[in-house]
Amino acid sequence: MRLCIVGIGGCGGHLAERFLKNQDVTLLKKSLGEHVSFGGVKGLWLEADVQETENQNFFGSLEGGRYPGYFIPHDVIGPESKTSKLIVDRYGYDVKKQGFMRQAEFLKAVFEIFESDEEVKRVALSEHESENPILRAAWDRIRPYTTLEALKDNNGGSEMCDGILFIVSLGGGTGTGFVNPITRYIRGERPAYPVFVLGVLTEEGVDPQQRAKEAKRDLGATISLYDLTTKKVGIGVDGVILIDNQIMVEKFGQDYSAIDDYIHQAMRPFIAGRHYPGEDPPSLAMREKFIEGLVRPPILVPCYCRERRREDPEENLVKKALSEGKLFGCDPKNAEMAYVFTRGFMGQGEIVKAVARYTGLPEERIEPWRKLGENHWDEILILLRNPYGEERGCEVKGNLEYRLHRVIRMALNYMDEPESSLVSQGMPELTRKAIEDYFYGDDGIQERLKEGLLRIEKGEKPFFLDERNIFERSSRDPGIHESHRASGRQVDDEEIRKLVEAEVRRVLAERDI
Amino acid sequence: MSGLNETVAGVQAADISSSLVPEGLSNALASVSSNGLLGLGLFILILALGAALHRLNMERTYRRVAATTNGGEISGEELREEMFARQGSNFNAAAITAWMLLFAAFAYFYFLTPEIFPRHNYYQVPTLSSGPLGFATFGLMVLVLTLVAAAFVPRELYGYYELSRKTKVAIMLTLPLLAISIVLSIQQGTIFPQVELASRITAFLALFASELALLWPIYVEALGGMR
């Protein structure tokens, strides 16, 4: 599996930088050769705030041909855009707003307008040749790194990415607002293309960088998590890897650079190449394992450990990863499945037995993938699938239910605070009503979150059930991708057959079969 | 030629006494660096040891992977393919250049002036040594002769190790180090029959430090694996 890393928003950008760092040497920061990232990953940074992009020097402008690059999707909307004017006049949203400061609902609303309002669609289509020019532009920048582009160009695509990992901060504005719509957009083209999200939940207390209250961030995180976990498989993402920054801050203090480095290190067994011979499944196969038996995307909790190489390391690594190495609090005994990624020399049977011993899982529900290690270190990353669901588990500190119960509670409290001003009085009536209904209506998010809290307390899985939109779509069916419709092109059986054949050929070629 | 060597020895003795390096160490380095057979042997030994340890590392990896694989049977070719890691074209170019310069620096150090190998050196080829671009031609010939080996070595050696950026930078830094060694050796050739011992010792140290640095990832992997 080779992943395309897409950092979205500030936190996503910082983390993506770790993943995309050039492993080659450079002279005076200029590389004359091809960019070589760890694990062969490729990717980019999607940002909404121009200033953020100017405050760093790792990513260059994709428009200027730089790699790794950043892209500001809403830049495709010109200042005199009719689409933009229509949305401002009708809904009060400025689609060219710089940054979304902890307002997860802002982008959610904007993208739902593009999906639900026929007139906006029509104007956008005539002006930008796309019903949703912002998402189209973003996807057009991601797509060239993926095997989908390789199939289109009829090349082998062995260097291309066969899956996407979005990296976002849960509780931010850009990342949380962007990830669901872009995933939905991708699904319109490829329902089975593997898409995962790495979501970092911000720490407790006041955010020292943006002075944003925890409750406000928690509302953003809750909205984002709600959207991520309620979209059905094939429409939404294939897995949400959760990391709790509270645990990271307890480990590293407020040193966010060290935290980013550690998160990258912990994810290395997942993205690394150099597989054990015959143990490199195509990402489609891995996706199937991740969503096996599920209707909605799973929550995946990473547990990581790294130690100097020694004889029979499996038991010790598994034990430490599942105790001291959890990147989000949870009880491993509640996990439904475990996906194990190792680097070093480890026995498959020993890994499975050790994980079974410490999680109580039957061996057939443990999937190990081994890779060769480096410099005498052994590493293990265990992704625990949905490790929650215990009655009154929310009362046990260190459990996933405990942390998320707190987050949802605080989000609900924030919704009731007069200062939250979720329903802005300055907005047009249509938007005000839709937002009010979304947050406080009988079937609004407030009621659904309360229901979610009850489900957590009872130990029911999943804790969020049905998706909730601000602006209802004309059709919930993602259907054929609008870019295809715009060009009047239909995908027929013959083309599907060719695409499948090409993909199979690529996989077989990769394995020399 | 024996008279020439006596002159060289006299100049060497004078240089040693004026050196800032402790006399004992300076004497030892002068003795080692002037001993052609010892130097040649050491150079080849370090290379041969590197090659042997690389083979050992590969075999050990194979054994360990086989030992942790059900049935213990794996394809060596498949494993080599999986082990291979791209190091980047900047690094590869630097590594190829460094290996070429290593052989050139070695040739300049031991085979330019006659005081180390009186019968086998640049001055034994009059058409070359009396030409206006003699030193450069000598170096270019060595570079051409070692090009194939140098081009093959980085891919075969470094491709199978996970090299950190620091290691890559260290390997890249052998380029200026080897350039210094070459320049100092050329200086020796220019002032010949005089010998400036400090330059000679510096050129010697730069040459062998570079050789060790170029093979460092292999040695580290082998040493770590023995723990």
Side-chain angles (χ1 to χ4, degrees):
Chain A
M1 183 172 73
R2 191 189 296 266
L3 288 171
C4 176
I5 305 291
V6 183
I8 312 180
C11 168
H14 286 127
L15 269 168
E17 182 178 334
R18 267 59 181 185
F19 284 84
L20 297 173
K21 199 173 265 179
N22 194 359
Q23 301 295 302
D24 196 0
V25 279
T26 52
L27 264 181
L28 304 171
K29 294 193 174 176
K30 295 276 177 220
S31 178
L32 301 172
E34 200 188 340
H35 193 95
V36 182
S37 304
F38 178 84
V41 300
K42 298 181 192 317
L44 70 155
W45 175 33
L46 297 179
E47 177 52 58
D49 188 347
V50 178
Q51 273 197 335
E52 283 283 320
T53 64
E54 288 169 354
N55 293 337
Q56 54 83 44
N57 52 21
F58 179 77
F59 294 96
S61 169
L62 268 186
E63 301 304 276
R66 287 270 309 275
Y67 183 86
Y70 67 80
F71 180 64
I72 300 177
H74 60 216
D75 269 358
V76 295
I77 306 279
E80 303 299 322
S81 161
K82 286 179 197 160
T83 315
S84 172
K85 190 170 181 314
L86 178 62
I87 294 174
V88 172
D89 290 347
R90 186 171 290 176
Y91 296 95
Y93 286 111
D94 176 9
V95 294
K96 287 187 72 66
K97 188 179 172 189
Q98 297 293 304
F100 306 101
M101 288 294 287
R102 310 294 181 192
Q103 284 180 284
E105 75 279 9
F106 188 101
L107 275 180
K108 177 177 164 64
V110 167
F111 290 124
E112 283 178 12
I113 290 167
F114 274 109
E115 286 182 23
S116 63
D117 190 316
E118 293 301 326
E119 194 180 349
V120 170
K121 280 186 195 179
R122 206 167 39 246
V123 173
L125 190 59
S126 66
E127 194 174 37
H128 300 278
E129 296 178 348
S130 169
E131 289 178 352
N132 193 333
I134 300 177
L135 290 181
R136 168 78 181 270
W139 177 227
D140 281 350
R141 301 307 180 285
I142 300 169
R143 203 177 190 284
Y145 302 118
T146 67
T147 45
L148 300 179
E149 192 74 2
L151 287 176
K152 197 178 91 180
D153 295 347
N154 272 332
N155 68 42
S158 59
E159 296 293 306
M160 313 298 267
C161 306
D162 55 359
I164 296 174
L165 178 68
F166 286 113
I167 305 179
V168 298
S169 157
L170 297 176
T174 316
T176 48
F178 222 104
V179 69
N180 275 308
I182 189 80
T183 305
R184 192 180 164 83
Y185 196 82
I186 296 167
R187 292 289 182 236
E189 182 174 333
R190 282 293 164 124
Y193 193 76
V195 178
F196 305 102
V197 170
L198 174 67
V200 181
L201 185 66
T202 55
E203 67 266 34
E204 294 169 8
V206 175
D207 170 5
Q209 287 178 320
Q210 299 191 351
R211 317 292 306 160
K213 278 174 69 175
E214 181 187 351
K216 187 175 185 181
R217 285 182 279 123
D218 283 346
L219 177 61
T222 306
I223 291 173
S224 183
L225 205 55
Y226 190 96
D227 277 7
L228 283 168
T229 54
T230 53
K231 295 237 177 337
K232 290 194 175 139
V233 164
I235 294 174
V237 299
D238 297 312
V240 183
I241 301 168
L242 275 187
I243 291 175
D244 187 358
N245 230 24
Q246 181 60 29
I247 290 177
M248 296 292 101
V249 166
E250 282 164 16
K251 217 175 219 170
F252 298 100
Q254 305 280 348
D255 186 349
Y256 292 101
S257 181
I259 290 173
D260 291 343
D261 285 339
Y262 184 76
I263 292 174
H264 173 238
Q265 186 185 305
M267 294 307 292
R268 278 162 66 112
F270 183 54
I271 59 164
R274 305 180 88 220
H275 303 80
Y276 256 55
E279 291 186 27
D280 178 15
S283 61
L284 271 173
M286 201 173 276
R287 172 186 183 264
E288 290 302 315
K289 292 283 180 193
F290 274 56
I291 57 174
E292 193 178 287
L294 293 177
V295 178
R296 293 179 184 82
I299 285 176
L300 301 161
V301 171
C303 307
Y304 172 75
C305 181
R306 179 177 195 251
E307 284 202 329
R308 275 267 165 208
R309 189 166 295 160
R310 54 190 250 185
E311 288 295 312
D312 306 323
E314 298 88 354
E315 176 86 14
N316 198 45
L317 280 171
V318 169
K319 185 181 167 190
K320 284 192 175 169
L322 293 176
S323 52
E324 307 153 22
K326 289 179 279 192
L327 274 75
F328 201 106
C330 70
D331 181 355
K333 293 210 179 305
N334 289 328
E336 302 166 346
M337 283 189 87
Y339 310 99
V340 190
F341 301 86
T342 65
R343 296 184 75 210
F345 302 112
M346 290 177 228
Q348 203 169 39
E350 286 77 3
I351 297 167
V352 171
K353 281 193 185 87
V355 174
R357 200 157 31 248
Y358 290 102
T359 58
L361 281 166
E363 291 187 6
E364 63 273 14
R365 299 193 74 77
I366 300 164
E367 294 287 343
W369 284 289
R370 298 177 298 167
K371 301 171 184 190
L372 302 169
E374 63 175 287
N375 299 334
H376 319 295
W377 289 91
D378 285 323
E379 289 176 276
I380 194 164
L381 170 71
I382 305 170
L383 293 177
L384 296 173
R385 190 173 99 176
N386 291 334
Y388 65 92
E390 188 184 353
E391 196 178 348
R392 300 181 68 161
C394 60
E395 292 167 17
V396 183
K397 198 172 179 192
N399 268 7
L400 185 134
E401 298 95 309
Y402 180 88
R403 181 73 169 109
L404 289 186
H405 197 272
R406 175 193 163 100
V407 169
I408 299 167
R409 256 189 357 253
M410 292 195 82
L412 283 168
N413 289 343
Y414 182 72
M415 286 172 72
D416 287 336
E417 280 180 24
E419 63 176 86
S420 63
S421 311
L422 294 170
V423 185
S424 174
Q425 292 308 310
M427 298 297 256
E429 177 67 15
L430 173 68
T431 304
R432 218 152 29 86
K433 206 165 171 319
I435 289 284
E436 191 165 358
D437 194 39
Y438 170 71
F439 278 118
Y440 304 107
D442 292 341
D443 187 30
I445 204 81
Q446 191 175 43
E447 289 308 311
R448 292 181 183 216
L449 295 185
K450 284 178 185 165
E451 189 190 341
L453 279 183
L454 279 175
R455 288 180 67 83
I456 289 176
E457 286 159 16
K458 286 184 199 161
E460 289 173 3
K461 285 186 190 181
F463 40 81
F464 294 142
L465 293 175
D466 300 312
E467 60 174 304
R468 176 67 162 91
N469 297 320
I470 299 172
F471 298 102
E472 284 303 321
R473 284 186 199 90
S474 41
S475 164
R476 281 173 185 268
D477 179 9
I480 296 166
H481 201 295
E482 53 94 358
S483 64
H484 291 173
R485 275 189 281 152
S487 61
R489 184 171 161 268
Q490 291 288 329
V491 182
D492 59 21
D493 289 350
E494 180 61 17
E495 189 172 359
I496 291 170
R497 192 178 62 77
K498 279 183 184 164
L499 289 172
V500 170
E501 271 180 12
E503 180 72 3
V504 170
R505 265 202 305 275
R506 186 187 67 77
V507 171
L508 292 178
E510 270 182 13
R511 293 164 165 236
D512 271 347
I513 300 170
Chain B
M1 194 56 76
S2 64
L4 184 66
N5 285 343
E6 279 165 25
T7 314
V8 169
V11 176
Q12 280 178 351
D15 267 14
I16 291 164
S17 61
S18 64
S19 170
L20 293 172
V21 185
E23 202 174 321
L25 179 62
S26 184
N27 279 333
L29 283 171
S31 158
V32 172
S33 65
S34 303
N35 189 327
L37 283 177
L38 180 66
L40 188 63
L42 197 62
F43 188 83
I44 293 171
L45 180 73
I46 293 172
L47 277 184
L49 196 61
L53 288 177
H54 173 59
R55 200 179 153 81
L56 179 80
N57 289 339
M58 297 295 283
E59 279 175 4
R60 196 160 47 198
T61 303
Y62 179 87
R63 280 201 308 275
R64 283 179 170 169
V65 172
T68 48
T69 301
N70 288 343
E73 277 185 27
I74 50 164
S75 149
E77 199 49 45
E78 204 178 333
L79 179 63
R80 278 174 75 86
E81 226 168 79
E82 284 295 349
M83 281 176 74
F84 187 76
R86 286 168 60 201
Q87 306 292 358
S89 42
N90 294 329
F91 171 76
N92 285 340
I96 290 170
T97 313
W99 276 93
M100 285 167 71
L101 285 184
L102 177 76
F103 293 123
F106 175 75
Y108 272 116
F109 188 85
Y110 283 106
F111 298 101
L112 192 65
T113 53
E115 78 268 20
I116 297 178
F117 291 109
R119 288 185 187 176
H120 305 283
N121 61 74
Y122 166 81
Y123 288 100
Q124 298 294 318
V125 190
T127 47
L128 187 63
S129 54
S130 51
L133 291 169
F135 284 171
T137 312
F138 176 68
L140 278 173
M141 280 167 60
V142 178
L143 289 180
V144 170
L145 283 172
T146 56
L147 177 65
V148 177
F152 165 79
V153 164
R155 188 191 148 83
E156 179 56 32
L157 282 190
Y158 304 133
Y160 298 104
Y161 298 86
E162 288 263 354
L163 303 182
S164 67
R165 271 172 68 94
K166 279 182 186 165
T167 308
K168 287 179 182 174
V169 169
I171 287 172
M172 210 169 166
L173 284 176
T174 60
L175 287 172
L177 207 57
L178 286 163
I180 288 170
S181 177
I182 289 171
V183 167
L184 293 176
S185 293
I186 290 173
Q187 185 212 8
Q188 298 292 311
T190 312
I191 63 172
F192 178 79
Q194 276 192 307
V195 173
E196 197 180 314
L197 205 61
S199 299
R200 169 160 277 282
I201 290 173
T202 309
F204 173 82
L205 290 176
L207 171 66
F208 280 91
S210 299
E211 190 185 13
L212 283 172
L214 287 171
L215 291 164
W216 190 246
I218 295 155
Y219 284 106
V220 168
E221 177 74 24
L223 288 171
M226 283 171 193
R227 263 189 241 126

